[in-house]
Amino acid sequence: MGFCGLCRWGAVWLFAGAGLLAQQAPIPRADELPGQPYAIRNKWVIGGTGDWDYLTLDPTASRLFVAHGPTVQVVDIESGAVVGTIGGFHQAHAVVLDDQGTYGYATDGLPNPLSGRVLSSQGKPVEFTYAGGVEVFDRRSFRIVASILTTASLRALALDPQTGLLFALGTDLSTLPPPPEPARRRRANARPQPSPPSQPSLCGTSSAYESGRIPESIIVVIDPEKRAELADIRVCGMLGSAVPDGTGGVYVTFTTLNMAVRLDAQRLLDLLPDRDRIVPSTIEFGGREYTYNQVPELDWRSQTKRGAGYGDALPQLRTIPLGDCKEPHGVAVDSRRNRLFVGCNNMKLAILDSVSGASIGSFTVGPGTDSIAYDAGRGLIFSANGGGYGSVTIIRQHVTDDYSVVQTLPTMERARTMAVDPATGLVYLVTTINGANISNPSRAGIPGKVRYGPLDGSFQVLVIGN
């Protein structure tokens, strides 16, 4: 057999082996079977490059916004075609939309902070350091109309309809352990040098991190009308996702502390500067204009330490421990019944009373859950599980406030984020096709490198319905 034949069979075995490994995670069983089971009804290949994150649906305009690499792709859910692309990101993460159908807001995150010194629009020198920001875009032209810089590297985003405040979740990169240094050849008699002692932190220490420190995060509060940052809220741990409850509260998951919190946006206004007096600076660098202003920092680290119990730690903050829910990520809320749905990294979906913090139930879901969605009109909770084979776990909320798993639908590997259309009940996920790529062809009989990973141009939307 020639080398080309060996390449083909090597690629096949790579594909098969990876498929077998992906199936090692058990498929959770359903407690009852739906009369009309969900299935993958369509697949739209939309292309693009880079990693992806959250999806947001505009059911009125029939548009799906997908944070994908350096862009936000806009997909027409009637045709499956890409009708717009919003560029200018380092790494797009999450999108929220205003109620007027005019503007959208998308978070941007950098792997490393950048610093500079420029003149502001008032002619004053401004020294700035940023690691992310929020891009404001026009939903008709898909053009960015404002860029708000933040010191934190942002990911999740929530808009509270009661106060009109934006809450962006970000990481303080300076509190993360440094990346490992490249391996160097060491002399035989050389002794390893001890690591420098870590700086003390109000968040405490943990052996889970090389530096010994628990990382810190920042909840950035933004006034979308002023297009300006109002305050930074410093908390302990790494943050997961955020969702408004529609009654003036925003729920946030803390992935490294196994808890959630409820921010009272209305009471938070008492701690924020007068929005009418905010005059943000406009700075220009790299051929673009940005909004940047110094804001007060609210230090809530003492209230968000590991082991915080249930209760109102502050008038603006309620902490909710999540029991055996490990590394919580996705979160959804049923404000009518006061129910909180949290996706956990240990293959569980936890249901809690959002008022008392009491556990209502816990259900097994697939591995790698990242996004949780709640369809209030149909009484369904969805968990997008991107680990292993990829699946969506569907849980029924009965009128008696009981819950049961009704279906586990196999999807595709890494299909971990989703959006639900409340009008049609359709569920949208995104992922790529993984396969074997020969990055370098064979030369002079020497085989090229074979790598297993996402295939170029295979990024696609999965449409699920019943």
Side-chain angles (χ1 to χ4, degrees):
M1 181 183 292
F3 172 70
C4 292
L6 288 172
C7 280
R8 286 194 296 271
W9 279 108
V12 168
W13 280 109
L14 264 175
F15 226 126
L20 289 172
L21 288 173
Q23 298 300 328
Q24 288 180 355
I27 299 177
R29 287 189 173 185
D31 297 327
E32 62 176 89
L33 296 177
Q36 295 179 311
Y38 278 75
I40 298 177
R41 296 177 53 174
N42 217 331
K43 296 181 180 181
W44 304 325
V45 177
I46 61 175
T49 60
D51 201 1
W52 67 92
D53 216 335
Y54 293 113
L55 288 68
T56 298
L57 183 70
D58 180 354
T60 303
S62 299
R63 297 286 187 265
L64 181 68
F65 294 83
V66 183
H68 185 198
T71 68
V72 172
Q73 294 172 292
V74 187
V75 180
D76 182 349
I77 60 174
E78 299 293 337
S79 65
V82 177
V83 295
T85 301
I86 306 162
F89 296 86
H90 293 87
Q91 174 64 59
H93 284 291
V95 176
V96 299
L97 308 172
D98 66 11
D99 294 333
Q100 292 75 38
T102 306
Y103 296 110
Y105 308 89
T107 52
D108 193 9
L110 280 69
N112 299 293
L114 299 177
S115 299
R117 180 184 175 92
V118 296
L119 291 178
S120 70
S121 54
Q122 291 84 14
K124 299 179 180 180
V126 176
E127 294 184 0
F128 66 93
T129 299
Y130 79 101
V134 172
E135 304 287 358
V136 186
F137 61 88
D138 188 301
R139 286 158 65 177
R140 292 178 292 269
S141 65
F142 305 130
R143 297 185 62 180
I144 292 177
V145 297
S147 301
I148 306 167
L149 295 184
T150 64
T151 58
S153 181
L154 302 183
R155 188 190 177 204
L157 186 64
L159 175 63
D160 172 50
Q162 299 291 319
T163 60
L165 294 176
L166 276 173
F167 293 85
L169 311 187
T171 303
D172 182 351
L173 299 179
S174 67
T175 66
L176 295 180
E181 295 184 1
R184 297 176 181 175
R185 183 171 295 179
R186 183 183 296 169
R187 299 192 307 272
N189 59 350
R191 295 181 179 180
Q193 297 296 318
S195 301
S198 60
Q199 297 296 320
S201 169
L202 287 177
C203 295
T205 59
S206 172
S207 59
Y209 302 97
E210 183 179 348
S211 65
R213 290 183 54 181
I214 293 178
E216 298 174 9
S217 295
I218 295 176
I219 302 173
V220 181
V221 186
I222 294 174
D223 181 351
E225 291 187 3
K226 288 281 187 177
R227 295 174 182 170
E229 186 179 356
L230 297 177
D232 286 340
I233 303 174
R234 182 171 292 275
V235 296
C236 292
M238 302 287 285
L239 304 180
S241 187
V243 61
D245 62 12
T247 63
V250 175
Y251 288 93
V252 178
T253 54
F254 283 59
T255 60
T256 54
L257 302 180
N258 300 336
M259 73 174 184
V261 304
R262 183 186 186 270
L263 304 175
D264 191 316
Q266 193 66 46
R267 291 184 174 181
L268 185 61
L269 290 174
D270 298 335
L271 305 180
L272 301 179
D274 187 350
R275 289 192 270 184
D276 293 333
R277 297 183 180 181
I278 295 292
V279 182
S281 298
T282 300
I283 60 178
E284 182 177 346
F285 64 94
R288 290 183 59 185
E289 286 190 350
Y290 297 87
T291 299
Y292 182 81
N293 57 309
Q294 300 288 341
V295 298
E297 181 176 280
L298 307 178
D299 191 344
W300 289 1
R301 288 177 292 179
S302 296
Q303 291 78 18
T304 54
K305 288 183 179 180
R306 183 184 298 277
Y310 174 83
D312 292 335
L314 293 168
Q316 302 83 10
L317 176 72
R318 178 188 302 158
T319 55
I320 307 171
L322 298 177
D324 63 351
C325 173
K326 306 302 181 184
E327 298 182 23
H329 280 268
V331 59
V333 62
D334 174 6
S335 298
R336 190 172 69 87
R337 287 190 174 93
N338 295 320
R339 294 295 179 256
L340 197 64
F341 312 111
V342 183
C344 318
N345 201 39
N346 55 337
M347 295 178 60
K348 291 183 180 295
L349 185 139
I351 303 177
L352 300 98
D353 186 311
S354 59
V355 175
S356 67
S359 175
I360 303 300
S362 179
F363 297 88
T364 301
V365 297
T369 180
D370 193 356
S371 181
I372 302 296
Y374 173 58
D375 186 343
R378 294 166 181 80
L380 296 173
I381 304 108
F382 299 89
S383 172
N385 317 308
Y389 52 83
S391 65
V392 170
T393 305
I394 306 170
I395 296 176
R396 169 79 65 190
Q397 180 188 51
H398 299 281
V399 294
T400 55
D401 199 31
D402 294 321
Y403 299 83
S404 59
V405 176
V406 295
Q407 187 179 356
T408 298
L409 172 67
T411 53
M412 292 176 64
E413 292 179 64
R414 301 210 300 160
R416 63 185 187 272
T417 53
M418 65 180 163
V420 176
D421 188 339
T424 64
L426 295 177
V427 181
Y428 301 88
L429 302 95
V430 290
T431 189
T432 55
I433 296 176
N434 284 349
N437 281 320
I438 300 179
S439 58
N440 295 309
S442 60
R443 294 180 180 178
I446 301 176
K449 295 181 180 179
V450 180
R451 295 179 178 177
Y452 180 80
L455 298 178
D456 294 340
S458 67
F459 188 65
Q460 58 192 278
V461 178
L462 308 181
V463 185
I464 294 173
N466 64 344

